[in-house]
Every structure is written in C-alpha cells, then in structure tokens.
Amino acid sequence: MAAIDLTIVRNEILARHNSYRTTHHSPIMAAQASLNTTAQQWAEYLATNALFQHSTATQRNNAGENIYVYYTTASTATEVFLATEAVKSWYNEVKDYNYAVPQFASNTGHFTQVVWKASVGLGSGAASGIKVINGVTYNAFYVVSQYSPAGNLTGAFAANVLKP
C-alpha cells in the first residue's frame, strides 16, 4: 500500500474547501485535530475492509462527513491529486442544486456540506488499500472529510447554502 503524506492531503483539502466557500460567502474553515483523528480512523477502516460507506453519526461524534474513493491500477496517486479530486467531486454537485428550493437532496448533499456556512471545523484523512472489481485488482485511495458542526440540517439550507 502506498504511503500518503497526510499533511499535504489535509492542507490541500482545507485550501480547496476554503476556495469554494469563499465563492459561496461562507467563512473559511479551520483544521480541527479531533476531526482529523476520526476522519483518518474511518479512511483506514474503509481501506482495510475495501468498503465505501459513511461512518455512523456516533463514530464521528455527530460531525458531517463526505467520503471519496479513487480506484487505479497505478501504484500511487499524488496527495494533491487525491485532495483536489475529492473536493472537486463533492463540489461539482453544485450543478444540480436548486437555490429556489433550498433543501437536502441525495445528489447535492456533498456540495451543500462543503459550503455549509455554519460548518467551520474541518478534519480529513486518507488511506490506501486494495479493491477487486470484476476480477481486476485496483489500488484504492480513500479520502474522508468531517465537518463541525455538521451541515445539511433540515430547515437551515436557505441560511447556509448561499448563491455565489
């Protein structure tokens, strides 16, 4: 399994979030050590078990969560690539968000969590593992970001997901 420099991943994820958040008039986020810890634990769990699923609210101390996986036959993926692609994939759901009907939707929940105005703490983790898909063995790179306080609260979308 490839070694991942978590400092690079975390700094890049934070920078990408803050860039998108500025566009949506949300305050910049700050790294939060406790969220880094729980996000890393979950990334390692996913990598070890070749799974792609959210942790429970209890496991992440009621923080919000976005998850991402990159499958490749290459031996490695750069930290900047992983961080950039993860946050970009979450943010790109913006194309489906309807500001006129500010509410949760399964196809925009990653985006809304990224820009959620009230979420100001961010922690991230990354881990690599192996995943066999249709008989092909891939290197799987998992990225997890957790948010405090959690976003995507019913009734709070209009105040927290602002138009650029």
Side-chain angles (χ1 to χ4, degrees):
M1 289 186 281
I4 298 172
D5 185 327
L6 291 176
T7 300
I8 295 171
V9 169
R10 289 172 175 156
N11 288 342
E12 192 67 27
I13 287 174
L14 181 62
R16 298 287 170 176
H17 273 80
N18 285 335
S19 176
Y20 289 130
R21 290 173 66 81
T22 298
T23 300
H24 290 269
H25 316 286
S26 292
I28 63 168
M29 301 186 104
Q32 197 169 315
S34 61
L35 292 173
N36 280 339
T37 299
T38 53
Q40 183 61 31
Q41 288 170 344
W42 193 246
E44 290 173 6
Y45 175 82
L46 294 175
T48 299
N49 295 286
L51 295 173
F52 189 67
Q53 63 192 39
H54 284 283
S55 62
T56 66
T58 302
Q59 287 170 315
R60 59 179 182 266
N61 301 313
N62 295 311
E65 182 176 76
N66 279 339
I67 59 176
Y68 172 83
V69 64
Y70 174 66
Y71 299 115
T72 181
T73 54
S75 60
T76 190
T78 70
E79 289 84 356
V80 171
F81 174 84
L82 289 174
T84 301
E85 291 302 305
V87 182
K88 185 166 57 173
S89 75
W90 300 329
Y91 180 80
N92 281 347
E93 294 177 356
V94 64
K95 70 186 183 326
D96 297 319
Y97 188 73
N98 183 352
Y99 294 95
V101 185
Q103 64 187 10
F104 180 79
S106 59
N107 63 332
T108 59
H110 300 97
F111 154 70
T112 53
Q113 177 61 88
V114 168
V115 302
W116 194 264
K117 189 174 181 177
S119 295
V120 293
L122 177 68
S124 298
S128 62
I130 301 294
K131 175 78 173 181
V132 177
I133 303 170
N134 296 327
V136 178
T137 300
Y138 292 92
N139 288 307
F141 295 89
Y142 295 86
V143 177
V144 176
S145 285
Q146 294 180 347
Y147 306 81
S148 181
N152 291 338
L153 302 177
T154 302
F157 281 79
N160 284 281
V161 182
L162 307 178
K163 278 186 180 181

